[in-house]
Amino acid sequence: MSAALQPSMDTLQIGPDGERSVTPSPPHSPLLNDSCNIAPLTPSLSPRNAPQSLCTRPFSVVVAIDFGTTSSGYAFSFTQDPEAIHMMRRWEGGDPGIANQKTPTSLLLTPEQRFHSFGFLARDSYHDLDPDEARDWLYFEKFKMKIHSTTDLTMETELEAMNGRRVKAIEVFAHALRFFREHALKELKDQSSSVLEKEAVRWVITVPAVWKQPAKQFMREAAYLAGLISPENPEQLLIALEPEAASIYCRKLRLHQVIDLSGRPMANGFEQDSTVPIGSSFRQEVLLIPLLIS
């Protein structure tokens, strides 16, 4: 990985057997995106290898984005009280009076390819369009796994909208991540009495464990383009695997949240006398042993 970290805009290529090669891009190569100043899937500086000076500023809040195939959402927690997790349940659009933990992973762009809306509002706005007018608007839904199924993923990879027009995938993902950035920062401003600087927010994006390294790097490049972080501070963004995030959550659960023993005559495969109360130490063994051996 460190060998591929070159100052120039090089292209990382991964062969079918996992071999890697770095091909320098010509000065005027079309793969270079001058508008966002990022190269095609160039590996970012690993936080483990980053200079220590980059980590001197502590984060005040952690914002975790669950970018899902069907639905997406986010939650945040202030580092002063990490156990207090605030999950966003207020989304524009959707069914009135119903709190939704997630919003549809749907993006609507104007005919000029400008951002219009995301989530419930994007879905409802698109379906409310006149059929003739809808032909000019670009609507995307369930587009997350497209970058996993693409074998030759590059910064030039395109996604097809409902009307058949194609847009660069990096721009589609950047629009979605920018929506979450602005939505979360507004919510943080309402929740916090102090002004949060951009560098004080630690961002986390979850991705499937089956994703290969190019797809993970693609999400990081989209985060750069969306303005979540800058390439100079790569440690500000953590790409987390979904099953690992779920396992960490399970470790934080209290025992009664893992399994309910009330009204169960069986414990660890043996019948128990219902007149004998189950002590806390025994209850912990009953809960943890199946988890350890599964």
Side-chain angles (χ1 to χ4, degrees):
M1 178 65 73
S2 60
L5 296 174
Q6 302 294 338
S8 60
M9 296 295 187
D10 295 342
T11 303
L12 174 64
Q13 297 181 346
I14 302 179
D17 298 326
E19 69 275 7
R20 299 188 177 194
S21 62
V22 178
T23 304
S25 298
H28 303 288
S29 172
L31 291 179
L32 294 179
N33 192 332
D34 295 333
S35 61
C36 54
N37 195 27
I38 50 180
L41 302 180
T42 50
S44 300
L45 185 63
S46 172
R48 293 180 298 178
N49 300 328
Q52 293 298 322
S53 59
L54 296 178
C55 303
T56 55
R57 178 186 294 273
F59 298 111
S60 301
V61 62
V62 178
V63 180
I65 301 175
D66 180 10
F67 199 108
T69 302
T70 304
S71 302
S72 300
Y74 72 90
F76 62 90
S77 176
F78 294 96
T79 55
Q80 293 181 345
D81 187 12
E83 298 297 327
I85 300 176
H86 307 268
M87 182 173 294
M88 173 49 56
R89 291 184 173 88
R90 297 190 300 274
W91 304 102
E92 189 174 359
D95 299 326
I98 298 180
N100 297 282
Q101 294 182 355
K102 292 186 178 183
T103 189
T105 307
S106 303
L107 174 70
L108 180 62
L109 303 180
T110 66
E112 297 77 25
Q113 297 189 16
R114 297 178 181 176
F115 177 83
H116 178 272
S117 52
F118 183 88
F120 288 112
L121 186 58
R123 182 195 64 184
D124 297 341
S125 298
Y126 178 73
H127 291 298
D128 290 342
L129 289 173
D130 182 84
D132 294 333
E133 187 181 7
R135 296 193 184 101
D136 299 327
W137 288 69
L138 297 96
Y139 180 70
F140 301 87
E141 63 179 3
K142 300 180 181 180
F143 52 86
K144 169 186 172 181
M145 295 304 291
K146 295 293 180 63
I147 65 173
H148 171 67
S149 58
T150 302
T151 56
D152 54 344
L153 181 64
T154 69
M155 300 296 289
E156 300 299 315
T157 298
E158 295 180 336
L159 296 178
E160 185 175 337
M162 294 292 290
N163 61 357
R165 292 177 57 184
R166 303 183 69 85
V167 180
K168 288 183 180 180
I170 190 71
E171 296 179 1
V172 174
F173 279 81
H175 278 305
L177 292 177
R178 191 178 297 113
F179 164 81
F180 282 110
R181 172 185 175 272
E182 296 176 356
H183 200 289
L185 292 180
K186 182 180 182 299
E187 186 68 18
L188 290 174
K189 182 179 179 181
D190 296 338
Q191 294 278 348
S192 177
S193 57
S194 59
V195 179
L196 290 174
E197 298 182 7
K198 179 181 178 181
E199 294 78 11
V201 181
R202 176 72 178 271
W203 297 92
V204 181
I205 301 178
T206 58
V207 298
V210 297
W211 274 20
K212 298 179 181 179
Q213 187 58 34
K216 299 174 187 176
Q217 183 63 30
F218 181 92
M219 288 296 291
R220 179 172 289 274
E221 300 286 0
Y224 291 153
L225 184 58
L228 262 70
I229 62 169
S230 65
E232 289 75 22
N233 298 305
E235 79 286 348
Q236 195 177 351
L237 172 64
L238 176 64
I239 302 295
L241 300 181
E242 292 173 353
E244 291 184 356
S247 65
I248 294 175
Y249 171 76
C250 291
R251 289 174 58 186
K252 291 291 185 180
L253 290 177
R254 299 185 183 277
L255 295 181
H256 70 85
Q257 294 175 301
V258 179
I259 186 172
D260 184 9
L261 292 179
S262 60
R264 291 177 179 266
M266 303 290 291
N268 215 20
F270 298 94
E271 256 187 70
Q272 299 296 316
D273 186 354
S274 59
T275 61
V276 179
I278 300 179
S280 60
S281 60
F282 180 79
R283 180 186 295 264
Q284 185 174 2
E285 292 176 1
V286 171
L287 292 175
L288 295 183
I289 289 177
L291 295 177
L292 292 175
I293 64 178
S294 61

